Structure formats: C-alpha cells, structure tokens
Amino acid sequence: MRIGLIGNQNSGKSTIFNYLTNSRQQVGNWAGVTVDKKEVSINDNIIVDLPGVYSLNGYTIEENITINYINKLDVIVNVLDVTNLSRGLYLTLQLIDLNIPMVIVLTKQDKVNINVSRLSLLLDISVVDKSINEIVNKARNSSLNFKCENEDQAISKRYDYIDSILSSVLDECKENNCVDKIILNKYLSIPLFIFVMFIVYYISFNTISVYLNDIINNWFLFIESKISTLSIPPFYISLINDGILNSLGVVVSFIPSISLLYLCLTFLETTGYMSRISFIMDKMFRLIGLNGKSIISFIMGTSCSVPGILVSRTIENTDQRYITALLTSLIPCSAKMTIIMMFAKILFPVNTGIYIFFIYIISVFFIFLMAFILRKWIFYNTTNYYINEITDYEIPNIKKVLKITYNKITSFLKRVSKTLIISSIVIWFLYNISFDFSFVNMDGSILGVVSRKIAFLFYPFLGKNSYECAIAIVEGFVAKERVTSSLLISSKLNDMSVAELFNNSVAMYAFLIFNLFCFPCISSIVTLKKEIGLRLVLLFLVFQTFFAYVVAIIIYHIGILL
Amino acid sequence: MTLDKVKLHKRVKIVRLGMCDQKVKRRLQELGFIRNQIIEKIFVALFNDPIVIKIRNYSVAISVNILKDIEVCE
C-alpha cells in the first residue's frame, strides 16, 4: 500500500515522515524544505514524503511533483498544521474531492486548543495519531463534496465551509508576533540582517573554532611525526604523510568552523527567520532578475550547492528559477570554504573570521553583477512578482537543531572522505610516477609534465607558469576541497609552504577569486543539468569561467600596480 | 481603490481581483483572497515593496505589482 503525506508547505510532513519511518529527512521552519519526493518501505507499505502544496493547482516544480503523484496513492495522510488551520483546510477539502481514502494527522497541537473530535465529524474523516496501523485501518472516503462547474464558486464554497469549521473547532486565534515589528521594520530589517549574518560568520570562524582548528592541526602533525620515525620505507612514509594525512588533516581541521556555521544557519532556519529574509531582500533581488526566495537557495548553498540548487524549485517564475539555480553554484559552499580558510589563514592570521565575512560580501557583489548580466542579455523578458508565506516564529528545539546540524556534518564528512582520501592517493601517485611507470621526482611525473603544458593558461593572473596551481584548478573540477589538498601535497613534495607556491599575495587573491567563480564541481553541474538543461548550463559554465578569468586578471594587475 | 494604496494597518474588504495573469489570480484565491474577505496591510519592506498582508489569521508577503490589481473597499 502506497501512503503519501500531503499538506501545506511547512506543515510538519517531514517530521511525521521521520517519525513513521525512523528516517533523518531534513526539517525546517520555512516553505520548501522538501523539494522532491522521498519513499521508504515499511513492511508492505511504502511511505512517501511529498513537497508541500497550498492547493491542487501546481505553481512550482516541487508542487507539481506532489500533484502528479497523488493518483498513485492508495491512502492520503493529510498533515494539518493547527496553527494555520484555515489555509490547511482548503487543501483538505480539495483532497476530499479526489475520493482517495484519507486520514488527517494534526501537527503543532500544543500551540492551539482544538476540538479534534468535532473537526473529524465535520470533515467526515478520521483524525489519527502517528501510527501506520491506525493510518491504514482508519483511512476512508469522506461524504463531503465541493466540486462545482465554476472553479471560482468552488473556492468560495470551500472557504464558506472552512469558516463554519473554524468557528466550531478553534477556541482562540493566534496573535501576530510583536518581534516582527523590529525584524520586519522598513528601515531596520536590512541592517539587522547584515548584522545577523556577520555574527553567524564571526561565531563560526573567529571564536572557539580557531583553537579547535589548531588542536586538530597539531594532532595531525603529531601523527605525521610519529609515522616519520617508523622503520618503514620512505616511499610509504611519503604516501601516508604527504599523500593522505597532510590534505586530510587540513580539511578535517576546518570541521569545527564548518560545524559552527551549520549550527548557526540551522538555528536561523528553525526560528522562521528564513521567510522573513526572503521578504526583506525581495525588492533588491527583483531589480536584478532574481526573487526574494532566491536568498534561501543562496543560504542553503553555503552548505552545499546541490541542495541550494534544488531549493530554487520553490520559485514560480521559470527565468528567475534558472538564474537562481545558476548563481547558487557560485555561492561559497563548505568545500570552497576550505580554500577561503586556507588563504585567509595565510593572508590574515589575525581576525580571520572578519576577512572570511568580507570574502562573502565580495562574492555576493560578483553574484549580483552576474545576475544583472544574465537578466540584461539572456533572461530579459522576465516578469517578476512575489508571493510568499511568512511562517510563524518558533523557539528552536535545541535537540532538533543539534540533530539537523549533526546530519549536515556527517553528510559533509561522508562526501569529503569519499572523494578526498582516494583522490589524494591518486594525485600523490601521479606526482611520483612517470609515463613509463617508474618512480621519479615531481618534475618528471605524469602530473608534472601534463600541468606544465597547461600552466601558461593561468600565467595572466598568477604571474608565473605554476604547474602546482594549474593542477589544483583542474582538480577543483572534481571537488572544490581538492584545490586545498592539491596545493598542500604540491607544497609538501616541494618542501615549500603554500604561500611560496605563489609569486606574491596578489597572485593568491587572484587564484582564490578564480577558484570561487570558475566552473563548479561535477555534482553541481549534474544537478544544474537536471534542473535547467544541458545547453544553458554549458553556456553558463563557459561564461562564468571566462568571467572568473577576467576578474582574476584584473585583480592581479591592479594589485601589482598598487 | 487598489490594495497598494491602502494605508498601513487599515483593514479593508476585497472587491475584485483584476489581474490578467490567471495563474496568479488562482493562487491568490486559493490563499483566501476572495470577495468580501477582510485583509490588513501589516508590514512594508524598504522601497515600499513587497508588503505583508494579514489574511485569515496568517501572513503573506506580496509584491506591489500584484497588489495594484486587487480592488478593495473600506
């Protein structure tokens, strides 16, 4: 039996899904947390978590996923948020008209007094607890019917009935939260948002994480020194120390900072601030062809571009969705963060967190510039309107916040460990093996020879033919954290520091900017292709790499003059 | 009078949704923007766009170009 969870956006479907299936699906207090269907089999039943919908007329891609799937369901579990009963019941009455066996599960019952038995009676549908047996046994068709020949009449008929239900099942209505008088204040909202983001980055990169990063770094150095003293061939010592531990150590040492960033962003997500950020930034975003909802994609993209790109599905307008998805791939994600942190530590050993925040500000400036260019020459016919629900505030549940953060960290670690260890070993071998498979030094190695042939491409912003940097850029195509580890392996094998691989600090800036804005990693490209098609993605990749190249050259030459 | 011209915190009644885009019109209807529904402008963003409207006990942020097509009366 196929059981589907259907309800408004942000009604708590994923929380119910996690409870029923013991899964770890992401939850949050903003519309669009779930943008694709998720299925889990339990005994003979398949439980399906579907993206939220306001009605059975789809306006966005993620809403259409739900609507197109409904007819495959044997049982509908309508998840109703009692704090937004009026809006939720509209969907309930539409679902009733489908004549598919149905039950209702209520969420957020602790916040409003509701007469559950009366609600069940008026809808002629069972209201059940979170139990699969109860769902299967009590699902039935309602005797109600709101179908009309004219859809306008049907809408009015449904709302008339909703009014009669509300007056008899709800004791009290919630009041508007006075916090919004400050958060959504016309003049305070934007400075407050910038301040909040500054605090998030300050906490993440300039507090306890600095000490934890150093402790982890020292711990890896200690292991490396112990391995160096072992009586094994130097070949293996170099493989373990230079090939694996060196790059792994640096990425792992960034985990405390990235974990704190995840924690702060998850905290914001669960409070309900995300929908407000969308409202605050909408007008500015629409001026450059984006939408207030784009900022949610961008913030999600700071963890990983892939979920950020997928969240753009919540945007109704196709052109705005395309621009948002493309630009999300430019947001400094946690992988790019490792590159930023490495250079930040070299260039600004003190107050690194503030420097990182400013790198973000520069990134946002370039992203706005690209959005402007895309709107001006490619998506010039974009009509822009904005409709977005402002979700209620919630006091974050610490346990829930920690659980979501933990899931994000483990998923980052899994991704990194999968690509990093294997590719580090491969790169180490390519650095030490020649084309005739004999062990040679770096200059005669496969990577050394190949990278020398392409190093001239990056001469205009590096000021020299640096094959170490050329390799790092190419490796970044696979995964951006590879850039960091590649530079570290190169510097270790050359007995140099990373800074010594560059002519000067200006070349480091130019290299950093190029890596932030050139082609994204393969997984982002695959996701983009799925969302907006190959032709447009290829066009954008060429455009963004050319853009990054030009910006890096400008930075280098202006920097040299200064 | 159209909704964009209504003063902040003034409660008004919807008379007609006059937009040409049927998709937007249907979406608003389904959110409860139907004839005689009482609504209130509660927050305005910088540059006076978008605007948060309180309707049926929940809040929806809507851009001014849509509000211009919503006729209301006191």
Side-chain angles (χ1 to χ4, degrees), chain A residues 8 54-55 59 86-87 90 155 159 316 387-389, chain B residues 14 24-34 37 39 55-56 58-62:
Chain A
N8 286 162
Y54 288 115
S55 74
Y59 300 97
S86 162
R87 198 196 54 204
Y90 183 83
I155 292 171
Y159 270 113
E316 292 92 343
I387 303 174
N388 191 32
E389 185 206 350
Chain B
I14 296 174
V24 176
K25 184 178 175 182
R26 182 68 76 226
R27 172 130 217 163
L28 288 174
Q29 285 177 323
E30 288 174 340
L31 282 167
F33 286 76
I34 52 174
Q37 177 64 52
I39 52 177
I55 178 167
R56 306 185 71 92
Y58 54 88
S59 307
V60 188
I62 304 176

Side-chain angles (χ1 to χ4, degrees), chain A residues 20-278:
Chain A
L20 292 175
T21 62
N22 203 18
S23 307
R24 293 195 298 185
Q25 183 79 3
Q26 192 188 341
V27 293
N29 184 14
W30 46 282
V33 180
T34 309
V35 288
D36 209 346
K37 65 176 193 300
K38 296 279 178 331
E39 296 182 346
V40 169
S41 293
I42 294 184
N43 301 328
D44 295 334
N45 302 309
I46 299 168
I47 316 288
V48 193
D49 186 19
L50 290 157
V53 286
Y54 288 115
S55 74
L56 295 184
N57 294 310
Y59 300 97
T60 60
I61 288 191
E62 112 271 21
E63 286 182 345
N64 284 327
I65 289 171
T66 302
I67 292 157
N68 296 334
Y69 197 84
I70 288 179
N71 287 330
K72 293 179 190 162
L73 296 173
D74 300 306
V75 171
I76 291 174
V77 178
N78 178 210
V79 180
L80 254 181
D81 167 7
V82 293
T83 62
N84 263 323
L85 205 55
S86 162
R87 198 196 54 204
L89 281 172
Y90 183 83
L91 176 67
T92 308
L93 298 187
Q94 277 193 320
L95 290 173
I96 281 173
D97 285 344
L98 294 176
N99 283 324
I100 296 172
M102 183 170 138
V103 288
I104 288 173
V105 172
L106 298 176
T107 57
K108 304 177 192 174
Q109 277 191 75
D110 52 324
K111 291 177 184 166
V112 178
N113 289 329
I114 183 167
N115 187 334
V116 179
S117 52
R118 182 102 185 114
L119 179 72
S120 173
L121 193 73
L122 289 169
L123 290 170
D124 192 22
I125 292 283
S126 301
V127 177
V128 300
D129 281 331
K130 295 175 277 186
S131 139
I132 294 176
N133 282 340
E134 216 181 330
I135 288 168
V136 172
N137 294 332
K138 292 193 174 173
R140 65 165 195 269
N141 293 324
S142 168
S143 57
L144 298 175
N145 187 345
F146 295 90
K147 280 180 187 162
C148 286
E149 278 191 19
N150 182 332
E151 186 57 20
D152 287 1
Q153 284 175 3
I155 292 171
S156 299
K157 198 173 159 187
R158 287 186 194 113
Y159 270 113
D160 287 343
Y161 196 66
I162 289 168
D163 286 336
S164 67
I165 294 175
L166 292 178
S167 57
S168 56
V169 302
L170 279 183
D171 284 354
E172 57 190 59
C173 289
K174 62 183 165 50
E175 276 306 306
N176 200 31
N177 205 316
C178 58
V179 179
D180 273 338
K181 285 182 180 159
I182 300 165
I183 304 277
L184 296 185
N185 180 285
K186 190 173 171 179
Y187 304 106
L188 288 178
S189 55
I190 291 180
L192 203 64
F193 167 61
I194 294 170
F195 177 72
V196 167
M197 294 317 286
F198 177 80
I199 293 294
V200 165
Y201 284 96
Y202 191 84
I203 291 173
S204 307
F205 300 105
N206 233 32
T207 53
I208 189 167
S209 60
V210 177
Y211 305 104
L212 292 175
N213 290 352
D214 286 344
I215 290 171
I216 296 173
N217 245 335
N218 292 335
W219 189 71
F220 268 90
L221 286 174
F222 173 75
I223 297 176
E224 280 181 36
S225 65
K226 284 284 167 202
I227 287 171
S228 303
T229 58
L230 293 176
S231 53
I232 53 173
F235 166 80
Y236 293 109
I237 292 177
S238 174
L239 173 63
I240 297 167
N241 281 352
D242 305 334
I244 303 171
L245 290 177
N246 188 31
S247 52
L248 193 66
V250 170
V251 176
V252 171
S253 73
F254 294 150
I255 296 292
S257 304
I258 290 169
S259 306
L260 277 174
L261 181 67
Y262 285 162
L263 184 71
C264 294
L265 292 178
T266 307
F267 183 83
L268 288 183
E269 282 171 26
T270 48
T271 55
Y273 189 49
M274 296 289 255
S275 64
R276 283 156 182 85
I277 296 174
S278 157

Side-chain angles (χ1 to χ4, degrees), chain A residues 446-458:
Chain A
I446 295 174
L447 266 188
V449 172
V450 172
S451 57
R452 250 190 205 91
K453 298 223 187 279
I454 57 164
F456 75 94
L457 287 170
F458 310 107

Side-chain angles (χ1 to χ4, degrees), chain B residues 19-55:
Chain B
M19 57 275 301
C20 304
D21 190 331
Q22 290 304 304
K23 243 181 155 182
V24 176
K25 184 178 175 182
R26 182 68 76 226
R27 172 130 217 163
L28 288 174
Q29 285 177 323
E30 288 174 340
L31 282 167
F33 286 76
I34 52 174
R35 196 178 157 81
N36 290 332
Q37 177 64 52
I38 292 170
I39 52 177
E40 183 187 349
K41 250 183 179 180
I42 52 171
F43 293 106
V44 179
L46 193 67
F47 310 118
N48 298 321
D49 185 15
I51 288 168
V52 179
I53 306 290
K54 188 176 178 190
I55 178 167

